[in-house]
Amino acid sequence: MDKETFKKYGYEFIDWVADYLMEVEKYPVKSQVKPGEIKGKIPPEPPFREESMEEIFGDFKEIILSGITHWQHPCWYGYFPANNSYPSILGELLSAGLGVQCMSWETSPAATELEEAVLQWLRQMLGLPPGMVGVIQDTASTATLCALLTAREVARDFKINVEGFQGLKSPLTVYASEEAHSSIEKGVKIAGYGKENLRYISADEKFALIPSLLEKAITKDKGRGFQPACAVASLGTTSSAGIDPLESMAEICRRHGMWLHVDAAYGGSAAILEEKRDMLRGIEGVDSFVFNPHKWLLTNFDCSAYFVKDPKLLIRTMEMSPEYLKTASDAQVNNYRDWGIQLGRRFRALKLWFVLRSYGVEGLQEMIREHFRLAGLFLEWVEGEDIFELMAPVNFSLVCFRLNDGKSSPEELEGMNRELLEEINATGRVFLTHTSLKGKYTLRMSIGQRTTGEKHLRQAWGLIKEKARKVLEGR
Ligand SMILES: *Cc1c(COP(=O)(O)O)cnc(C)c1O
């Protein structure tokens, strides 16, 4: 491709993306294709001769778009949001254009120093303690794995990195709420603790970990010769956005000499609102904290912010210094390659910088406040209808509810709600997902798309009620 063609399509693609984001409502929110349908349209052999961008772009529109689930649709209520924004897209474009690999300070000083600076901005925005420093990871899963690895090394004086886990007499244990995200268990497995040494602690009726049970489990393990190494507090669980009691957990971890990691992947963004910072009480006692600007803070996937109290411990866990990576400035600078798992790193701070500057703290606060308002509205609607039941407190902008006619068995209720979700999503007009809360099948209305407005929410509610009546009539 020559420069002129690059420019031609570059301008055209920006136009296309701008129109796409304006018109995204014309697509069904969730892709309607069947498994194998897209692959069936891709030639099994690679092209031997060059193809024109016109053909490639044509196929993008013809083939790929039908297999896209539109996360940027204003009627996206599934999982959690992964919202993007114009400034973030532009930042990604420049990052792709620069094509730099930011493993060390010397491989692009600006990438390292901008990352340091914007993470300090984020730290202030959330009200995290002044001593904490940050690094961008691809995902919260990776950040949590880093925390578990560091906790492991700290618990054993950095010997497991050398000797491995073989033949350890007192196995290390990890603690998290039964509502914790699956990435905790995955990290526990990868970090070598073993799933059997992860203790799930029961949550109360608000889906928050019960601290007295945490204390009990730790004491019991100690008595049986285990070594408690780490606890994970969730601020905004995935199923119901429950909030673990950070202050009590911090006190327990301090007393037992354990690492405390916070998973605030979704909920953390809400801390940019001062009125939502109650959940951070006890944060001084936390060793590491992760939240995802790629969820609720208008920054394209992927961008996960990982903060640690003492970076020396993280670096000591991760550091590798082969001769070919050594640089003259190593003693004076941050080499972010030593702050995580992979060596190569994208220039992700750029899009975050663009977002934070374009919106300002105020602009981001306004968006999140509006999502809170919409969730409050939806909550009122659910509570105002006899046939619906609220399933969890609304701590953020996630509303958990289900259809309940008051006269069906638990099995029938599950069947009705499965049917309701299928009916709703089959329209293609909205997309919701489900979970299970205390064994009850629950619908999740997760509000957090940049463009979701009250108009969209009212339409969704109308549709949900209509389908609920249909389900009830069919019984
Ligand atoms: C989304 C989510 C995760 C996983 O996030 P990734 O960045 O995709 O790894 C972890 N924890 C919680 C609470 C989440 O909501």
Side-chain angles (χ1 to χ4, degrees):
M1 183 182 289
D2 59 26
K3 179 183 163 194
E4 288 315 312
T5 316
F6 172 70
K7 285 171 79 169
K8 172 174 151 23
Y9 282 99
Y11 296 131
E12 203 175 317
F13 285 7
I14 291 285
D15 285 343
W16 187 89
V17 170
D19 291 343
Y20 166 76
L21 290 173
M22 275 323 274
E23 297 166 1
V24 64
E25 281 183 70
K26 75 182 183 195
Y27 301 100
V29 188
K30 183 169 176 279
S31 170
Q32 314 271 302
V33 301
K34 304 267 175 311
E37 207 174 313
I38 300 294
K39 204 169 161 191
K41 294 178 185 167
I42 312 282
E45 311 282 323
F48 185 67
R49 289 210 173 74
E50 66 172 44
E51 296 183 72
S52 71
M53 190 45 68
E54 194 181 339
E55 286 172 284
I56 303 170
F57 188 37
D59 284 347
F60 165 80
K61 290 184 280 192
E62 270 304 302
I63 301 171
I64 302 302
L65 214 48
S66 66
I68 291 297
T69 291
H70 301 278
W71 285 69
Q72 307 309 320
H73 198 298
C75 304
W76 175 269
Y77 306 113
Y79 308 102
F80 280 132
N83 57 27
N84 72 4
S85 61
Y86 298 131
S88 172
I89 297 165
L90 293 176
E92 280 283 52
L93 179 68
L94 291 182
S95 172
L98 292 173
V100 291
Q101 203 275 53
C102 312
M103 56 188 176
S104 309
W105 180 85
E106 285 203 357
T107 62
S108 273
T112 298
E113 295 187 13
L114 185 64
E115 187 163 334
E116 291 172 342
V118 289
L119 281 156
Q120 281 306 307
W121 287 3
L122 280 185
R123 183 193 60 69
Q124 293 169 53
M125 286 167 66
L126 267 63
L128 299 177
M132 281 193 129
V133 290
V135 51
I136 299 178
Q137 304 279 357
D138 52 4
T139 59
S141 304
T142 302
T144 292
L145 176 57
C146 290
L148 288 164
L149 290 167
T150 314
R152 187 191 78 182
E153 290 312 303
V154 169
R156 284 301 169 102
D157 203 17
F158 293 86
K159 287 213 183 83
I160 294 172
N161 265 349
V162 182
E163 299 168 3
F165 253 151
Q166 320 283 6
L168 218 58
K169 290 230 167 47
S170 48
L172 301 177
T173 46
V174 178
Y175 305 79
S177 146
E178 59 181 346
E179 294 291 319
H181 189 263
S182 58
S183 57
I184 317 299
E185 183 170 316
K186 196 175 191 176
V188 160
K189 292 200 261 183
I190 299 170
Y193 289 93
K195 188 178 145 182
E196 283 180 358
N197 299 314
L198 170 61
R199 310 281 184 248
Y200 281 121
I201 308 299
S202 298
D204 62 16
E205 71 293 343
K206 290 178 171 166
F207 305 97
L209 176 143
I210 303 172
S212 58
L213 296 183
L214 172 64
E215 175 77 48
K216 227 181 185 164
I218 292 171
T219 312
K220 186 173 158 202
D221 280 333
K222 280 185 154 175
R224 293 191 305 159
F226 291 90
Q227 183 184 347
C230 178
V232 181
S234 309
L235 301 181
T237 58
T238 309
S239 276
S240 69
I243 299 175
D244 285 343
L246 194 59
E247 201 168 19
S248 318
M249 290 179 74
E251 191 275 319
I252 292 169
C253 287
R254 188 189 50 73
R255 207 153 22 76
H256 292 283
M258 292 163 61
W259 188 275
L260 179 56
H261 174 61
V262 173
D263 175 5
Y266 153 73
S269 294
I272 69 169
L273 301 179
E274 251 171 72
E275 68 268 26
K276 301 291 175 191
R277 281 195 196 152
D278 267 5
M279 62 178 172
L280 292 182
R281 217 175 304 134
I283 189 74
E284 303 73 26
V286 162
D287 297 288
S288 54
F289 177 100
V290 63
F291 90 104
N292 285 347
H294 70 226
K295 271 188 170 147
W296 202 5
L297 225 48
L298 297 171
T299 309
N300 278 61
F301 192 86
D302 52 351
C303 182
S304 189
Y306 180 52
F307 291 92
V308 291
K309 193 196 261 175
D310 183 355
K312 288 194 298 299
L313 300 175
L314 174 62
I315 293 169
R316 203 169 153 202
T317 303
M318 298 291 174
E319 192 172 34
M320 298 295 294
S321 266
E323 194 53 39
Y324 49 81
L325 290 178
K326 285 183 183 149
T327 70
S329 33
D330 281 353
Q332 304 146 48
V333 298
N334 247 348
N335 287 318
Y336 270 129
R337 63 166 193 260
D338 294 330
W339 292 57
I341 290 162
Q342 82 273 35
L343 169 65
R345 312 182 75 247
R346 309 202 307 118
F347 190 1
R348 282 174 295 221
L350 197 61
K351 61 188 170 188
L352 188 55
W353 190 48
F354 276 39
V355 169
L356 299 179
R357 294 183 63 182
S358 294
Y359 283 87
V361 176
E362 189 180 51
L364 296 169
Q365 286 174 332
E366 262 168 38
M367 177 193 69
I368 289 192
R369 245 184 223 119
E370 173 64 2
H371 290 151
F372 270 102
R373 187 186 74 83
L374 294 177
L377 209 57
F378 194 85
L379 165 67
E380 273 176 35
W381 297 341
V382 168
E383 291 192 310
E385 294 276 345
D386 313 335
I387 55 167
F388 290 106
E389 179 186 9
L390 186 71
M391 301 299 283
V394 178
N395 293 326
F396 299 92
S397 62
L398 171 70
V399 184
C400 294
F401 69 105
R402 71 171 177 177
L403 177 61
N404 187 348
D405 58 2
K407 54 185 188 212
S408 301
S409 70
E411 293 74 32
E412 284 168 332
L413 282 176
E414 171 154 353
M416 278 161 56
N417 279 285
R418 278 184 191 280
E419 191 183 328
L420 174 59
L421 185 63
E422 273 167 33
E423 287 276 347
I424 293 167
N425 286 341
T427 65
R429 284 156 56 196
V430 298
F431 180 61
L432 277 72
T433 52
H434 78 281
T435 190
S436 174
L437 292 176
K438 304 276 180 201
K440 294 170 185 162
Y441 188 92
T442 299
L443 272 57
R444 293 170 76 264
M445 183 78 180
S446 157
I447 301 162
Q449 234 312 304
R450 172 172 60 93
T451 48
T452 303
E454 190 172 326
K455 173 187 82 175
H456 302 107
L457 205 68
R458 286 189 185 279
Q459 284 166 2
W461 181 235
L463 182 70
I464 292 167
K465 279 193 299 188
E466 177 198 320
K467 296 301 177 189
R469 269 183 235 113
K470 187 175 162 198
V471 167
L472 290 178
E473 276 160 21
R475 295 268 144 183

